[in-house]
Amino acid sequence: MPKMKIKKGDTVVVISGRDKGRQGEVLRVLPTENRIIVQGVHIARRHTRPAMGNPGGIVETALTIHASNGPHIDPQTRKPTRIGYRMLDDGRKVRFARGSGGVIDK
């Protein structure tokens, strides 16, 4: 399974597609498909039939986007940035923003 640098709870911005420029929180990460689900981005409307415990109607669901279309937001400059890894003095491995060098993980 490939290692992804984006994790659940991160803030990303969409850089291509119909939702270009929108920011949102990552709700789910699918590493086998290299895709992410972002809150409020790439929303589809499904018409569902009433069933047991489900009233039916039009339901909005968030679809996946490719991880390369959602770069992480730099905590200092608030712009899209790439992510790298760094070892701290206390021996912890943390993610950092390549643009500004700010640590993402606390």
Side-chain angles (χ1 to χ4, degrees):
M1 191 157 58
K3 175 125 172 79
M4 295 187 68
K5 296 182 179 180
I6 296 177
K7 296 181 180 179
K8 180 179 176 181
D10 288 348
T11 304
V12 297
V13 61
V14 179
I15 58 171
S16 68
R18 68 179 187 202
D19 292 319
K20 181 177 180 177
R22 282 200 178 172
Q23 292 185 10
E25 181 181 342
V26 176
L27 300 176
R28 191 167 172 209
V29 178
L30 307 168
T32 56
E33 302 169 18
N34 202 20
R35 298 180 84 77
I36 56 176
I37 296 178
V38 182
Q39 183 178 13
V41 174
H42 200 194
I43 301 296
R45 297 175 67 161
R46 304 276 185 226
H47 298 262
T48 59
R49 179 172 292 183
M52 188 72 94
N54 182 9
I58 300 173
V59 179
E60 291 187 350
T61 59
L63 301 178
T64 63
I65 62 170
H66 198 268
S68 65
N69 292 331
H72 201 279
I73 296 292
D74 193 325
Q76 294 177 353
T77 63
R78 305 301 298 163
K79 292 184 178 179
T81 184
R82 293 179 300 154
I83 297 174
Y85 289 98
R86 179 183 296 161
M87 296 296 286
L88 295 180
D89 294 334
D90 59 359
R92 290 187 302 137
K93 182 179 179 182
V94 294
R95 296 180 300 159
F96 74 98
R98 289 197 183 263
S100 66
V103 176
I104 295 170
D105 297 328
K106 300 294 178 205

